[in-house]
Amino acid sequence: MKEVKIKTRDLTLFYGAKMALNSISLDIPEKEVTAFIGPSGCGKSTFLRTLNRMNDLIPNVRITGEVLVDSLNIYDKQIDVVNLRKKVGMVFQKSNPFAKSIFENVAYGPRINGINHKARLEEIVESSLKKAFIWEEVKDRLQDSAMGLSGGQQQRMCIARTLAVEPEIILMDEPASALDPISTAKIEELIFELKKNYTIVIVTHNMQQAARVSDHTAFFYIGELVEFGKTKKIFTTPDKKHTEEYITGRFG
Amino acid sequence: MERHFELELEKLNKRILKMGNLVYDQVHNALEALLTCNIELAQQVVELDNKVDKLDVKIDKLCQRIFALQQPVATDLRLIMSALKMNNDLERLGDLAVNISSKVEGVSEYGEILAELHIDELSNMADIIVKDVITILNTRNTTFVKDIFVSASAIEEKVQAVSSRILDEMMHKTEVIVVATNLMIILTQIDRIAGYSTNIAESIVFIVDGKMIKHKNIFKETGPVRPGEEEDFD
């Protein structure tokens, strides 16, 4: 197993009085893809959002336990959340381009981080779009509105926007669930390429997608981590009966 | 509500079991024909082989369909992978029954030689090993898998011992060369029956316990599974 990039210890989260995550301890390896699977409401997206403190924005959330990114507890008071989210980027289920040009969408992050030099921005935009495998499709229309891109292109542009601020970890919350099979395949290929340089954590309802793209799979159920292991093992010989029932569709 | 997928798996299980029973009957009748020098029964085995072949194709197609349409994982994946392999092994067992049957005529006038070489004991062992492995296929009780491997080793040893005797006879009595050659071919088939039975037993272990035990000789001697031989997922 590679170096651990993210480590959670007894991570428990309450929405008001409701416990959404129950003492999750998990080691996410560096530069590999870790998938979270489980039925709706099992806590997988909540858990994903704890990894860059996105739950801070939700009222009445109470979190105990630790999330260590590169051995630093991201819930420590002295942690700068903006810097954290720069390091731990996120891609959402629905692509969310800004109503700006493709160029400005990708340049947005670097700009607010103080990069204003035109040539430098152009360089970042080009390399980010290339890394997200969309450069060839948009290089001649960078000044066009991002809203005119197809759903699949928008999602890859959003990934490029995430890459532009040079994160080390990319969290993906159902990144391909709204896309057609060809766009989904492109996103999956992209994930495969990106893991060479980034640690990727993906939430997906599509079990075959988890099986295809991830190195490790964690199965969540009612806020608990039921099983975590190599994807090859989880999808051939899971240890827990519950995992077996879920992935074979015999759940409930 | 029973899912369509469950029905497909049930159909597959039934077909594999049907194949197992059919092949057992074929092996049993071939060995019976050998021991009783019953040429008619031997002929019947040869003719029935096309039923085995048809079922073989049907099972392969069903597995292919399930793979393509259901994308099975975990225990379902193991079942279908193993069904394909077991189907192949069962079909080969059927062929071995045919091979034995086709040699019955060649040894039918040498009943006393068969008795002298205790071919009946060996046939009985081959019959039992196939019967037992089909029972395990039906019950999925892997506790008895070890017995299959023990029986296979015993058959292998006995085949070697009888083969040596036949070779000795062949060197000294040229008049027995034809029947001895037929007998050697029959012995090879019996040895292979044991081999395919262990293959099927390995597949059942893979379905039930998720462990690949092939090529590991874990049932040789009486020792436990050697450390470090558990499934490696690297």
Side-chain angles (χ1 to χ4, degrees):
Chain A
M1 192 148 162
K2 292 191 176 175
E3 292 289 307
V4 173
K5 186 72 177 173
I6 306 171
K7 190 190 284 263
T8 72
R9 287 294 172 264
D10 299 320
L11 189 74
T12 298
L13 182 145
F14 286 89
Y15 288 124
K18 185 183 177 296
M19 184 191 272
L21 294 174
N22 184 5
S23 196
I24 311 288
S25 296
L26 186 66
D27 288 353
I28 295 173
E30 187 178 30
K31 292 182 184 169
E32 289 194 311
V33 181
T34 300
F36 295 165
I37 60 168
S40 297
C42 69
K44 57 190 186 300
S45 289
T46 299
F47 184 66
L48 186 81
R49 288 198 302 268
T50 62
L51 305 181
N52 70 345
R53 291 184 55 174
M54 291 293 276
N55 289 316
D56 289 11
L57 308 171
I58 301 170
N60 298 323
V61 165
R62 186 161 54 86
I63 296 169
T64 60
E66 287 183 329
V67 177
L68 307 168
V69 174
D70 290 333
S71 306
L72 283 177
N73 186 1
I74 62 168
Y75 285 90
D76 272 356
K77 280 180 184 153
Q78 62 268 35
I79 289 287
D80 178 344
V81 180
V82 174
N83 275 339
L84 169 71
R85 294 196 188 128
K86 214 173 111 183
K87 185 171 179 172
V88 188
M90 192 154 189
V91 177
F92 298 89
Q93 179 175 6
K94 194 174 177 318
S95 53
N96 50 353
F98 307 138
K100 292 171 179 281
S101 68
I102 296 166
F103 184 93
E104 286 305 324
N105 262 274
V106 182
Y108 188 85
R111 261 194 221 285
I112 60 170
N113 284 325
I115 300 172
N116 287 309
H117 191 263
K118 191 167 175 283
R120 176 71 189 124
L121 279 175
E122 281 173 355
E123 199 182 307
I124 293 172
V125 169
E126 180 174 338
S127 86
S128 303
L129 289 167
K130 276 181 176 167
K131 282 182 203 161
F133 288 150
I134 190 178
W135 172 251
E136 289 302 320
E137 292 163 60
V138 300
K139 65 181 180 190
D140 300 323
R141 48 175 172 146
L142 292 176
Q143 297 311 321
D144 290 1
S145 169
M147 310 307 278
L149 295 172
S150 72
Q153 287 173 328
Q154 284 186 5
Q155 192 63 304
R156 279 180 286 142
M157 189 210 67
C158 289
I159 292 172
R161 196 172 63 191
T162 303
L163 299 177
V165 293
E166 297 178 341
E168 291 171 28
I169 298 163
I170 305 170
L171 309 179
M172 296 183 167
D173 194 354
E174 301 243 28
S177 67
L179 304 179
D180 65 78
I182 292 170
S183 302
T184 299
K186 282 184 181 166
I187 298 283
E188 289 179 5
E189 279 306 309
L190 175 56
I191 290 171
F192 226 78
E193 283 300 312
L194 290 176
K195 78 170 181 181
K196 291 174 189 162
N197 299 306
Y198 306 89
T199 302
I200 296 172
V201 189
I202 177 171
V203 163
T204 177
H205 267 126
N206 180 338
M207 237 112 47
Q208 292 306 321
Q209 183 170 70
R212 284 192 296 264
V213 304
S214 71
D215 302 293
H216 306 272
T217 298
F219 169 54
F220 288 82
Y221 184 61
I222 327 180
E224 303 211 347
L225 176 65
V226 177
E227 186 166 353
F228 178 54
K230 285 189 176 176
T231 299
K232 289 175 200 169
K233 182 168 191 319
I234 297 276
F235 283 88
T236 52
T237 49
D239 286 332
K240 301 279 167 62
K241 192 165 179 281
H242 216 144
T243 314
E244 172 106 29
E245 285 172 349
Y246 182 69
I247 62 170
T248 57
R250 290 183 179 83
F251 207 67
Chain B
M1 187 181 70
E2 202 157 15
R3 294 185 313 148
H4 173 67
F5 183 36
E6 302 274 1
L7 296 175
E8 292 277 87
L9 294 179
E10 199 182 313
K11 193 190 282 180
L12 179 60
N13 274 319
K14 278 186 182 162
R15 280 190 187 165
I16 278 286
L17 202 54
K18 186 177 172 187
M19 180 76 160
N21 289 327
L22 179 61
V23 164
Y24 169 66
D25 288 345
Q26 288 286 83
V27 171
H28 176 79
N29 288 338
L31 295 169
E32 174 80 18
L34 173 69
L35 294 180
T36 57
C37 302
N38 185 339
I39 297 168
E40 205 178 310
L41 183 60
Q43 186 54 34
Q44 193 184 309
V45 170
V46 174
E47 282 164 14
L48 267 177
D49 189 50
N50 92 60
K51 209 171 162 185
V52 174
D53 291 347
K54 278 186 184 161
L55 192 51
D56 167 44
V57 172
K58 250 175 134 175
I59 291 170
D60 271 3
K61 283 185 175 172
L62 179 57
C63 290
Q64 185 188 32
R65 192 169 75 215
I66 298 174
F67 269 129
L69 303 182
Q70 307 285 355
Q71 291 100 40
V73 292
T75 182
D76 301 333
L77 174 69
R78 301 202 304 270
L79 169 68
I80 299 156
M81 278 174 65
S82 303
L84 272 173
K85 295 175 82 172
M86 290 192 296
N87 187 38
N88 192 46
D89 291 334
L90 287 167
E91 195 273 334
R92 292 293 299 133
L93 276 175
D95 289 344
L96 299 177
V98 169
N99 295 347
I100 291 172
S101 297
S102 62
K103 293 292 168 199
V104 166
E105 198 171 356
V107 298
S108 62
E109 287 168 21
Y110 300 90
E112 72 287 357
I113 295 182
L114 296 184
E116 199 184 319
L117 292 170
H118 302 293
I119 298 295
D120 55 338
E121 280 175 27
L122 204 43
S123 296
N124 197 33
M125 289 164 83
D127 189 286
I128 288 172
I129 199 172
V130 178
K131 190 176 187 179
D132 286 350
V133 85
I134 302 302
T135 303
I136 297 171
L137 177 62
N138 188 17
T139 59
R140 303 280 162 91
N141 186 344
T142 54
T143 319
F144 300 112
V145 162
K146 187 179 178 184
D147 299 343
I148 300 294
F149 283 83
V150 171
S151 302
S153 292
I155 290 172
E156 195 183 329
E157 274 175 29
K158 204 163 175 62
V159 163
Q160 275 175 8
V162 177
S163 299
S164 300
R165 275 193 66 190
I166 294 174
L167 280 174
D168 272 353
E169 292 291 322
M170 284 167 92
M171 280 194 275
H172 299 109
K173 298 180 196 166
T174 49
E175 68 274 19
V176 299
I177 281 181
V178 175
V179 64
T181 307
N182 283 330
L183 271 174
M184 290 294 275
I185 292 170
I186 288 169
L187 287 175
T188 308
Q189 311 308 302
I190 290 176
D191 190 37
R192 286 185 185 159
I193 286 175
Y196 283 112
S197 300
T198 58
N199 287 357
I200 295 168
E202 287 165 355
S203 292
I204 301 168
V205 170
F206 184 59
I207 296 173
V208 178
D209 303 329
K211 288 181 181 158
M212 272 195 198
I213 60 168
K214 65 179 181 178
H215 310 311
K216 288 184 177 169
N217 298 327
I218 60 170
F219 294 114
K220 281 270 168 84
E221 309 301 330
T222 50
V225 178
R226 276 172 280 170
E229 287 198 333
E230 287 301 315
E231 195 50 49
D232 182 3
F233 283 90
D234 280 338

